[in-house]
Amino acid sequence: MPEMLEVEVYRRVAAGALGRPIVAVDAPDAWFLKNGTTAGTVTAALVGRSFVADRRRGKLLLLDTSDEGPTVGLRFGMTGMLELDGVDALGDLQYGSRRRDPAWDRFVVHFDRGGALRLRDARRLGGVELDPDEERLGPDAASVGAAELGRILAGSAAPLKARLMDQARLAGLGNLLTDEILWRAGIDPARSAGSLTPVEVRRLHRHLRRTLDELGARGGSHTGDLQEARHRGSVCPRDGAALERRTIGGRTTYSCPAHQR
Ligand SMILES: [Zn+2]
């Protein structure tokens, strides 16, 4: 599923849409339009304008529009894919089916002289919204500082993994990235977030940054060193201990009882 690394790829691809006059919008799925946005309002807001800036906060892709128009927020849920001018943003790194069912086109922006930005989503867990409330999201995980991370965790009795995935506290981390970071940092995902020592917070922060850099360069959130061991009966790729499989923060979690404390 798209985590922040995939949405970052989407952002770079969407940059190819900047400055191109918008001539039409298809928004056939009312369910996919959120918080009062309708096919009528989004069409009226975009036609005649162009996108002028591409931004990302966590898993939210933001496209600002010309002439002080609204910002378009795109969310990708579990299966959302972005396509520009007929080319899939993720290329061979697709999530789910490679089939192109036209019924999955939830939002399409057509440009002058041809071409389109297309959001496809088989499971419809993503969405499109005009002027999303960006302040409802915490700081982006790629740029959060160690001291800020410490403040996010401090005093919280929630499991560390759940706190790290709480988008209102820290934006961007999903299930795979969080397990990989905690496995690399050697910290038990079930510990309470507030129990980390300052030394552990700094270690977690170091591995957070390094993991995002490395997996971003490798091609996505599914390229972690723990990934191949995400199945029942597997062992830790680092020390050979039997991995633990639990549900933490509502998500299937793999961790190593030998080196994650
Ligand atoms: Zn281990």
Side-chain angles (χ1 to χ4, degrees), residues 8-256:
E8 176 65 13
V9 174
Y10 292 170
R11 182 192 65 76
R12 283 185 236 130
V13 167
L18 300 188
R20 296 164 64 178
I22 296 166
V23 294
V25 174
D26 298 332
D29 186 353
W31 163 262
F32 209 72
L33 303 174
K34 307 297 185 187
N35 285 329
T37 297
T38 66
T41 58
V42 74
T43 300
L46 295 187
V47 170
R49 289 198 168 94
S50 56
F51 296 125
V52 293
D54 54 279
R55 300 181 290 123
R56 181 188 60 77
R57 185 154 173 176
K59 305 177 206 175
L60 176 65
L61 176 61
L62 297 154
L63 296 171
D64 299 323
T65 60
S66 57
D67 305 312
E68 298 179 13
T71 295
V72 180
L74 304 176
R75 296 179 195 277
F76 299 91
M78 302 283 279
T79 54
M81 302 182 200
L82 196 71
E83 186 183 291
L84 180 64
D85 302 334
V87 178
D88 281 310
L90 293 181
D92 291 334
L93 301 171
Q94 295 249 17
Y95 291 79
S97 173
R98 299 190 60 112
R99 205 154 57 89
R100 294 189 186 201
D101 187 333
W104 296 344
D105 286 355
R106 309 297 175 191
F107 185 67
V108 188
V109 178
H110 298 274
F111 301 108
D112 188 27
R113 303 167 75 180
L117 185 71
R118 188 177 305 265
L119 198 171
R120 280 182 291 142
D121 189 352
R123 289 183 58 183
R124 302 166 84 209
L125 294 169
V128 173
E129 184 181 348
L130 291 176
D131 289 326
D133 183 359
E134 299 173 37
E135 297 311 312
R136 285 179 58 190
L137 294 169
D140 188 79
S143 54
V144 71
E148 197 172 14
L149 181 63
R151 285 193 292 274
I152 289 166
L153 303 178
S156 170
L160 175 59
K161 177 175 177 176
R163 190 75 166 183
L164 291 172
M165 289 179 59
D166 181 347
Q167 303 298 303
R169 308 284 180 177
L170 182 67
L173 297 184
N175 199 37
L176 298 183
L177 284 174
T178 308
D179 277 7
E180 176 79 15
I181 291 162
L182 292 172
W183 177 79
R184 288 178 173 216
I187 302 174
D188 182 348
R191 274 180 59 185
S192 69
S195 72
L196 268 62
T197 66
V199 169
E200 287 175 324
V201 170
R202 284 196 294 277
R203 193 165 83 229
L204 175 61
H205 182 256
R206 197 164 61 241
H207 284 283
L208 166 66
R209 299 297 287 269
R210 199 175 291 167
T211 303
L212 293 177
D213 283 349
E214 285 186 17
L215 272 55
R218 288 180 193 174
S221 53
H222 62 293
T223 62
D225 298 333
L226 183 63
Q227 185 66 22
E228 63 182 30
R230 294 186 66 88
H231 60 84
R232 289 176 191 274
S234 61
V235 298
C236 176
R238 180 181 294 182
D239 52 42
L243 286 182
E244 217 170 344
R245 181 182 190 275
R246 293 173 288 182
T247 299
I248 300 174
R251 305 297 300 272
T252 299
T253 301
Y254 287 89
S255 62
C256 173

